[in-house]
């Protein structure tokens, strides 16, 4: 068994090195940032702190703005930063180039294979199913939520009037988190009023963990990642996030079933008609071309996806 495991490991390493050598040769003509090391690439140069990393990217973008694109190596994985809108347009307008990069795999424990991370026929089918949920008339229903949360935001910003410059980032993201949570799940978490809630903390811990892992090739292997402190914190945050979404879905499914039974018993259903619909409600009713509904797992993946992307 040890011999087979050792041989498999050696074979995988040889395949990785062969692929790395081939990619390195193919990417050689592209402009790059000096200072990359073999196998780890530019990873040791990148800032782990999110704010510092953002400033670092701005610095490189300004320094190499005369180039149409820029190459970096994250471990053995080449990353191309496209600096001209005309160049990225070729990719974004393509109906064929929809495969996601290797880095998206680090989102899958949280988001599964939803609209953001899936590809091929699954992506096309899911996209077709979800498109009607973004009709303008449905989105207009969310304006009340946006206005309610915007009023809270304005009230919180008032204390900074005439107090000089300040960092508004946290205020804005908490407001966006409140908006997307209520419009996606129909759940008011009060992030702006209570930024110390377990769910809010888990969202930010998970987001930071994913971004740090992307920049650290030595954490890409799952078994190594889960052995370290960051991997264990990632697992705990994942449980909080999934439990929260699962509970919201279960509760809303039960409510919709109860409402349906009441409507069948009482034809006067005006109260339910006036109830604000959330993205979750639409997901629980959507069907594909064959009339199949989304499974509980599918619904959770899409809700978590829009929670992540939306804020």
């Amino acid at each position: 068994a040890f011999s087979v495991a050792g041989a498999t490991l050696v074979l995988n390493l040889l395949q990785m090195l062969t692929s790395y050598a081939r990619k390195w040769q193919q990417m050689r003509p592209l402009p790059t940032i000096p200072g990359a090391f073999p196998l780890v690439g530019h990873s040791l140069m990148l800032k782990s702190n999110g704010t510092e990393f953002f400033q670092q990217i701005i610095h490189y973008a300004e320094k190499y703005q005369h180039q149409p694109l820029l190459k970096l190596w994250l471990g053995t994985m080449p990353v191309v930063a496209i600096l001209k809108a005309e160049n990225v347009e070729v990719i974004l307008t393509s109906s064929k180039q929809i495969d996601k990069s290797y880095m998206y795999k680090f989102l899958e424990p949280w988001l599964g294979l939803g609209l953001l991370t899936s590809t091929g026929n699954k992506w096309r089918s899911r996209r077709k199913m979800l498109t009607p949920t973004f009709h303008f008339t449905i989105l207009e229903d969310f304006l009340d939520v946006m206005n309610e949360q915007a009023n809270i935001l304005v009230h919180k910003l008032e204390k900074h009037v005439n107090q000089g410059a300040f960092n508004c980032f946290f205020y804005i993201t908490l407001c966006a988190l409140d908006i997307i949570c209520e419009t996606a799940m129909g759940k008011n978490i009060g992030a702006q009023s209570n930024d110390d809630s377990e769910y809010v903390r888990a969202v930010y811990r998970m987001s930071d963990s994913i971004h740090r892992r992307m920049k650290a090739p030595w954490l890409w292997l799952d078994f190594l990642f889960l052995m370290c402190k960051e991997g264990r914190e990632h697992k705990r945050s994942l449980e909080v996030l999934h439990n929260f979404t699962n509970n919201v879905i279960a509760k809303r499914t039960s409510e919709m079933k109860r409402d349906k039974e009441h409507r069948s018993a009482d034809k006067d259903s005006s109260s339910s008609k006036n109830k604000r619909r959330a993205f979750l409600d639409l997901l629980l009713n959507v069907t594909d071309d064959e009339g199949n509904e989304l499974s509980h797992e599918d619904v959770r993946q899409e809700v978590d996806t829009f929670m992540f992307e939306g804020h």
Side-chain angles (χ1 to χ4, degrees):
F2 281 114
S3 298
V4 172
T8 302
L9 179 61
V10 171
L11 182 61
N12 287 336
L13 287 173
L14 287 174
Q15 289 177 337
M16 184 187 74
L17 290 173
T18 302
S19 175
Y20 173 51
R22 185 173 64 252
K23 289 175 185 174
W24 188 89
Q25 188 63 32
Q26 290 174 336
M27 305 289 284
R28 192 175 180 182
L30 299 184
T32 186
I33 297 172
F37 292 95
L39 298 180
V40 295
H42 295 90
S43 301
L44 299 178
M45 298 169 53
L46 301 181
K47 304 292 186 182
S48 59
N49 177 273
T51 302
E52 294 176 358
F53 175 69
F54 182 63
Q55 294 300 327
Q56 187 178 27
I57 293 300
I58 291 176
H59 167 73
Y60 287 139
E62 291 176 346
K63 184 176 180 180
Y64 296 95
Q65 60 182 311
H66 61 284
Q67 301 283 5
L69 45 79
L70 190 63
K71 174 186 64 184
L72 295 93
W73 287 93
L74 290 181
T76 59
M77 188 68 56
V79 177
V80 177
I82 301 178
L83 304 177
K84 302 292 182 182
E86 295 79 10
N87 294 333
V88 78
E89 182 183 12
V90 178
I91 300 171
L92 294 182
T93 56
S94 173
S95 59
K96 295 181 179 179
Q97 304 300 333
I98 61 172
D99 287 350
K100 309 307 188 295
S101 78
Y102 177 82
M103 298 300 168
Y104 277 66
K105 75 183 285 290
F106 304 123
L107 290 166
E108 290 179 13
W110 181 9
L111 309 182
L113 290 175
L115 196 60
L116 176 64
T117 50
S118 60
T119 188
N121 291 333
K122 180 172 183 177
W123 180 87
R124 293 186 179 90
S125 173
R126 192 64 58 84
R127 173 69 184 268
K128 186 177 180 181
M129 289 175 69
L130 297 181
T131 296
T133 65
F134 293 96
H135 192 277
F136 287 120
T137 56
I138 293 175
L139 296 179
E140 286 172 1
D141 292 342
F142 298 156
L143 282 175
D144 288 344
V145 175
M146 296 178 186
N147 289 333
E148 290 167 10
Q149 298 301 334
N151 286 332
I152 296 174
L153 173 63
V154 169
H155 180 71
K156 292 177 77 70
L157 294 178
E158 280 179 343
K159 65 182 181 182
H160 291 281
V161 173
N162 298 324
Q163 299 297 315
F166 69 99
N167 187 351
C168 66
F169 176 78
F170 198 54
Y171 293 106
I172 301 296
T173 51
L174 288 177
C175 178
L177 186 58
D178 269 339
I179 291 172
I180 193 62
C181 202
E182 191 164 352
T183 55
M185 289 194 279
K187 179 81 171 177
N188 187 331
I189 61 170
Q192 293 191 91
S193 304
N194 178 23
D195 57 23
D196 196 39
S197 74
E198 185 180 38
Y199 181 76
V200 172
R201 291 200 309 270
V203 167
Y204 284 98
R205 282 200 307 268
M206 180 61 74
S207 299
D208 288 342
S209 175
I210 290 170
H211 285 117
R212 285 198 300 269
R213 190 181 183 190
M214 286 178 174
K215 293 177 286 186
W218 47 91
L219 296 178
W220 287 1
L221 292 176
D222 289 338
F223 77 93
L224 288 178
F225 179 62
L226 293 174
M227 285 172 60
C228 67
K229 180 182 177 182
E230 184 141 357
R232 294 191 294 271
E233 290 179 353
H234 176 280
K235 186 177 180 180
R236 284 193 293 269
S237 297
L238 195 62
E239 289 177 358
V240 172
L241 294 170
H242 282 174
N243 286 340
F244 181 87
T245 310
N246 284 331
N247 290 336
V248 171
I249 293 172
K251 183 178 179 181
R252 187 63 193 128
T253 302
S254 178
E255 289 175 352
M256 290 177 70
K257 184 178 180 180
R258 190 165 58 249
D259 289 345
K260 188 176 181 180
E261 291 172 351
H262 287 168
R263 283 197 301 272
S264 63
D266 184 1
K267 293 184 179 180
D268 182 14
S269 57
S270 57
S271 60
S272 63
K273 286 181 179 178
N274 294 327
K275 184 177 175 63
R276 182 187 291 155
R277 291 181 300 175
F279 178 61
L280 172 58
D281 299 336
L282 303 170
L283 286 176
L284 292 171
N285 286 306
V286 76
T287 57
D288 61 19
D289 292 336
E290 298 176 358
N292 299 315
E293 297 180 346
L294 293 175
S295 67
H296 178 98
E297 180 75 9
D298 291 332
V299 171
R300 196 204 74 213
Q301 290 176 359
E302 296 302 345
V303 170
D304 282 342
T305 293
F306 279 86
M307 282 299 301
F308 170 75
E309 291 185 323
H311 92 277

